[in-house]
Amino acid sequence: MEAKRSKTALEILNNLKEWPFRFILVFMTLMTGAVYVHGQAPAGSPAGGSVSGIVIDSLNQKPVDYATISLFKSGTSAPVNGGLTDTKGNFKINNVPPGEYRIQIDFVGYSRKTISGLVLSSGKPNKNVGQVIIAPNANMLAAVQITGQQALIENRIDKLVFNAEKDVTSSGGNATDILRKVPMVSVDMDGNVALRGSQNVRILINGKPSGALTTNAADVLKSMPSDQIKNIEVITAPSAKYDAEGSAGIINIITKKKNVSGVSGSVSAGLGNRQNNENANLNFNKNKLSITANVGYNSAWPQTTYSSFNSQNSELGTSSSSNGESTSKRHFLSGSASLGYDFNDNDSFSSSFSSRGGAFENKGNTINSNYSPSQGTVDYTATNNNKNSFSNFDWNNDFTHKFKRAGEELSIAGQWTHGTNDVNYLSEYSAFTQNQRATNLGTNNEYTVQADYVLPLNKVFKIETGAKTIIRKIKSDYDFFNPDESGQYVFNANTSNTYNYGQDVYSGYGLLTTSLSNGITIQAGARVENTRIDGNSGNTSVGLSPFKNDYTNFVPSLAISKALSPSQTIKLSYSKRIQRPSLQYLNPFRNTSDPLNQSQGNPALSPEIAQTVELNYSTFVKTSVINASVYYRRTADIIESVVSTVPFTTVDNNGNEVTRDVSLTNFLNVGNNNSIGTSLFGSVQLFSILTLRGNINAFTYKPQIISSLQQGKQSTYIQYNAFVSGTVKLSPTLNAETFLMQNSARRTFQGTNPAFNLWVVGVKQEVWKKRGTIGLNVTQPFKDYKDFTSNINSGPLTQSSKFSVPFRSFGVSFAYNFGKMNFGQQAPKKKRGVNNDDLKQGEGNTGQGAG
């Protein structure tokens, strides 16, 4: 059997290219074998009994996950066995011989709990201690009073949690404002989210995907009122049970939902000079039935943005420039409803429906100049009128069956996502090119079915396995119109296009978790994903050929954690992730809505493959928290935009065909990248009323660019994102907070994207016996506009673009909670349903299609 295991490991290693990851897989294989041997009872010896129970938090009456359980023989000081509680607070220690024992429960920041006098005999070998209530220690209670019975940042063994509802300065904003405050997360001026500097991150809402987040995540996040968000979870090393997509990790946004018995709800509103929002929640939980509903509206006042652009190509002798301004406004409406029913203690069903819709409108004008040796200088003005409206719904249905064995569970989930994205624009030019009007209607349908099975074994093991199928069908209709001799816009068949895109993903996974008696927990798993892609164009006149691309990925994961003490944990993890390009990156039809700066997808793109090794340490000392990590990430076939100068033939307003040099943005697998990074988060209570927090994430960018794109010496660049914040408790019901963040410029192999900084100040007053709050927030109080500059320096081509965006804002907010708050009767937790954490997110709302 050992020989067979070694042969299988060798075959896997022969298929890998990088030796560091061969070492990781060898270690995983050997460790799994060692754990298997460790978990077996000696031949001929009795299996023994068990000690079990559930650990409950005294503050919120919720289960405590990953608390450390130690089993001692009475009269001894060294533990004989132990483990950790699972995600539902349950623990079970097996193979316990007859005798008298005591158990000890430890959790970071909580007082140690000891239960003595547990007697196991041959007649009664099993002992269930029931619910074990643990409470924060004295120092933790002081911190709890400052943060409203919950810390703003929680460091858990498998993720980091930012409790947004405890953040003073979040009121009256949107999800983007909150994400800027989450450790390791950064958000640029356009609202694009990055995790540890990489925008290849999968964003979920309540553990589930949303079709709207696939096409225009930045816009959807701006549409979510901050008062609707409960907390945000950051997972940097997802296990094999998660979809392999999202090379940087997963961000899960949890919305507010009162999980209590009875009728409850909340209303909130925010009014400011930048944006306004209203939101309402209603919850009903009684016996076996739970119903929730939510509706929200978000809008922004008209905002004017200024821009400038300059481009030169020394080899061709061409140049172009523009200066302009545009005014935009937006509004969004969202709603959701869910129903859950427990048929009995073992079977439950839930169904949820959520819908989001909204529109952006943008009107602007630019003064442009274009020079080429053959055409000379052409000066012209352009006016643009653009409207982008979208709608999306997600329908989820989940069924869970619990078996007689504790912890054994089967869940089946299905999801249907449907979305439309409708773009209409009108561009008129005094010269250079023809006036144009276009409509781009994108339709996205996604169907998902998955099944997950959890089986706790008798001997320290827990097995999880599952299978999943995702079927995506996307259609993009692009209709282009130009004026005829009379000035009437007529359909242009040569430049219009219909594009159909399909992507099917079939996957399966296995995960093994074991908790050893010395405080070590090991989780090893593997996932296999097969991807099948096809695309075809309805316009054969422009020479776009159908394409197909199939590939299979093997995705292992490994995590080893060690509880050094009740307040210290160290964790070593390895994860492999993939990043599939979405339709925006693949659609080969050229977007000419901006004649000077055009874009085109590349159907030949391969997915990015990222492998990460991370070492993490977290500790709690009195009222101070420290979380530190170092990591190495190797990304193969990185996808980046590539800007070049190309000739483009067009027709001017006089009907003459002319060829001019323009900028074209394409997408390529430009090479590989090796990155070393470190993250450090700290929170300290200096005085009884003051708490300070800070976070810095720094990492290197050192691409190994393919030879055909080599343009000068490639260097190692250090990038970072950081923030500091302080909270002052002015009275038992009045808090004040300030927040300052700084993101460095983001490198690409061709240049840099803008740096970003922000300062926010806020106060929040609790009213009506803490059922309501009134808040005041100020953003960038001393400067109305912020400037953002991007640069490209790629051989003979140099470009610089600058945007001035209004950021200063003043706002007030109000929130009120109503209903019966009976926390003694908790509504049952529902198991996670469909979770499509895949697809490379778009860098803003650019490109064509409804990918």
Side-chain angles (χ1 to χ4, degrees), residues 503-525:
Q503 184 192 88
D504 302 340
V505 180
Y506 307 93
S507 59
Y509 74 90
L511 192 67
L512 175 67
T513 304
T514 182
S515 299
L516 307 182
S517 58
N518 54 4
I520 294 178
T521 299
I522 301 174
Q523 188 178 75

Side-chain angles (χ1 to χ4, degrees), residues 225-240:
S226 59
D227 293 327
Q228 185 182 342
I229 299 173
K230 177 179 177 62
N231 54 48
I232 296 177
E233 301 174 343
V234 179
I235 307 172
T236 57
S239 68

Side-chain angles (χ1 to χ4, degrees), residues 351 355 430 496 525 563 620 678 833 847:
S351 181
S355 178
S430 63
S496 300
F620 180 95
T678 181

Side-chain angles (χ1 to χ4, degrees), residues 529-552:
E529 294 193 348
N530 174 253
T531 305
R532 303 176 185 180
I533 296 174
D534 64 84
N536 64 82
S537 171
N539 188 343
T540 57
S541 63
V542 293
L544 299 179
S545 302
F547 77 92
K548 290 182 179 291
N549 192 8
D550 298 348
Y551 47 85
T552 300

Side-chain angles (χ1 to χ4, degrees), residues 86-387:
D86 62 17
T87 55
K88 299 180 180 179
N90 296 303
F91 68 88
K92 187 174 184 180
I93 303 174
N94 296 296
N95 302 323
V96 182
E100 185 174 349
Y101 298 89
R102 74 176 189 277
I103 59 169
Q104 179 178 294
I105 298 96
D106 294 295
F107 189 65
V108 174
Y110 283 66
S111 299
R112 173 174 291 172
K113 183 86 170 191
T114 301
I115 301 177
S116 304
L118 304 178
V119 178
L120 277 68
S121 63
S122 56
K124 295 183 178 180
N126 302 317
K127 180 67 176 179
N128 188 329
V129 298
Q131 289 191 354
V132 181
I133 309 297
I134 63 172
N137 59 34
N139 290 326
M140 182 62 178
L141 282 173
V144 166
Q145 292 173 359
I146 287 190
T147 56
Q149 294 192 332
Q150 191 175 34
L152 184 65
I153 307 286
E154 293 183 67
N155 294 296
R156 300 183 184 176
I157 194 169
D158 60 339
K159 58 195 166 190
L160 181 143
V161 181
F162 179 85
N163 292 302
E165 60 183 350
K166 302 303 177 185
D167 178 37
V168 174
T169 62
S170 292
S171 298
N174 55 46
T176 301
D177 299 323
I178 296 180
L179 283 166
R180 289 191 171 111
K181 304 175 184 182
V182 178
M184 297 180 287
V185 176
S186 59
V187 185
D188 67 15
M189 70 168 192
D190 296 319
N192 299 309
V193 179
L195 178 58
R196 286 178 169 172
S198 173
Q199 291 188 3
N200 297 334
V201 56
R202 185 54 170 164
I203 302 174
L204 307 176
I205 299 177
N206 295 321
K208 297 179 173 66
S210 171
L213 286 169
T214 302
T215 53
N216 48 8
D219 297 341
V220 173
L221 293 174
K222 291 176 184 177
S223 74
M224 293 183 63
S226 59
D227 293 327
Q228 185 182 342
I229 299 173
K230 177 179 177 62
N231 54 48
I232 296 177
E233 301 174 343
V234 179
I235 307 172
T236 57
S239 68
K241 71 179 179 180
Y242 290 95
D243 288 345
E245 195 74 26
S247 56
I250 295 171
I251 296 175
N252 186 22
I253 300 174
I254 308 297
T255 58
K256 291 180 179 178
K257 176 182 175 183
K258 290 190 169 54
N259 198 30
V260 296
S261 177
V263 178
S264 62
S266 66
V267 293
S268 63
L271 176 65
N273 67 320
R274 185 163 65 99
Q275 61 185 3
N276 311 298
N277 62 73
E278 298 82 32
N279 192 72
N281 293 278
L282 183 64
N283 308 277
F284 172 81
N285 289 297
K286 187 174 182 180
N287 299 327
K288 299 179 178 182
L289 178 66
S290 64
I291 301 173
T292 67
N294 169 268
V295 63
Y297 179 76
N298 179 277
S299 63
W301 298 104
Q303 298 177 342
T304 300
T305 299
Y306 301 93
S307 63
S308 64
F309 172 79
N310 289 278
S311 177
Q312 295 86 30
N313 191 309
S314 59
E315 188 176 85
L316 300 176
T318 59
S319 64
S320 60
S321 63
S322 67
N323 288 278
E325 66 176 73
S326 62
T327 300
S328 62
K329 56 183 179 179
R330 66 177 189 266
H331 65 272
F332 305 94
L333 180 66
S334 63
S336 64
S338 65
L339 180 147
Y341 186 77
D342 298 325
F343 298 100
N344 48 51
D345 291 340
N346 297 323
D347 299 302
S348 62
F349 171 79
S350 66
S351 181
S352 63
F353 183 89
S354 63
S355 178
R356 296 178 180 85
F360 291 85
E361 292 186 54
N362 188 77
K363 296 181 179 180
N365 60 82
T366 59
I367 300 174
N368 307 269
S369 180
N370 180 271
Y371 171 79
S372 67
S374 60
Q375 301 290 331
T377 300
V378 179
D379 296 324
Y380 65 98
T381 59
T383 59
N384 302 280
N385 190 342
N386 182 296
K387 183 176 181 180

